[in-house]
Amino acid sequence: MLTLDLTNAPRWHDLAPGVRAELRPLTTALMVATRNDPAVEAVPEDASDEERAVAFAKALARRAVLAWEGIGDAEGNPINPSPDTVDALLDIWPIFEAFQLTYVSKGLLLEQEKNVSASSPNGPSAGARATATRAKRPAKTARRG
């Protein structure tokens, strides 16, 4: 059963030991705005999937991060989120991975489940063709008796 959270309240997400971020809910409006972000649209057509993923994640994080804890400057002073600091944070591989796993992928799980569980309109094997080859059976020979 799909549970709707009608409060649409921001939530804290742990990104690393001692590092957490308060993020807006991953809504349709947030995803559409991110897709139309100038940084995402500026990604060259011949860019790799990885380059696209990084550009999208940074654009999404710039919109989603409201506050954070456990993040400071070079002198150890706490700093607030800004477009530049959010981008710098996501340049740290374990943080990028945690953001993708705890925030982005959970929001996309519903879409993935929908795609996986969609039934074929004409039955489970309609239109499918065998991809494995069958072993040939030896020819039957008449029994001598």
Side-chain angles (χ1 to χ4, degrees):
M1 173 184 292
L2 175 64
T3 303
L4 296 177
D5 180 1
L6 299 178
T7 64
N8 235 5
R11 291 199 174 92
W12 286 92
H13 296 265
D14 293 323
L15 301 176
V19 176
R20 66 186 198 137
E22 184 181 29
L23 303 169
R24 297 180 197 281
L26 189 59
T27 62
T28 301
L30 189 62
M31 290 297 283
V32 169
T34 302
R35 287 182 184 160
N36 294 318
D37 186 279
V40 172
E41 290 181 338
V43 175
E45 285 187 32
D46 62 343
S48 69
D49 290 343
E50 292 79 13
E51 290 170 314
R52 290 179 191 285
V54 169
F56 189 85
K58 286 182 176 182
L60 180 60
R62 286 191 298 268
R63 285 179 164 73
V65 174
L66 299 171
W68 58 29
E69 294 175 351
I71 299 171
D73 62 15
E75 289 80 38
N77 301 312
I79 56 174
N80 292 320
S82 71
D84 290 338
T85 58
V86 168
D87 284 358
L89 182 66
L90 263 66
D91 280 336
I92 301 169
W93 177 252
I95 300 292
F96 174 84
E97 281 291 299
F99 179 77
Q100 294 287 79
L101 290 171
T102 64
Y103 183 66
V104 179
S105 67
K106 284 188 179 180
L108 299 178
L109 269 179
L110 180 61
E111 182 67 22
Q112 181 181 9
E113 288 174 7
K114 179 182 79 174
N115 288 337
V116 170
S117 64
S119 59
S120 176
N122 295 318
S125 61
R129 62 182 182 96
T131 57
T133 58
R134 293 184 182 174
K136 291 185 178 182
R137 294 183 186 197
K140 290 185 179 180
T141 57
R143 288 181 82 172
R144 294 184 191 182

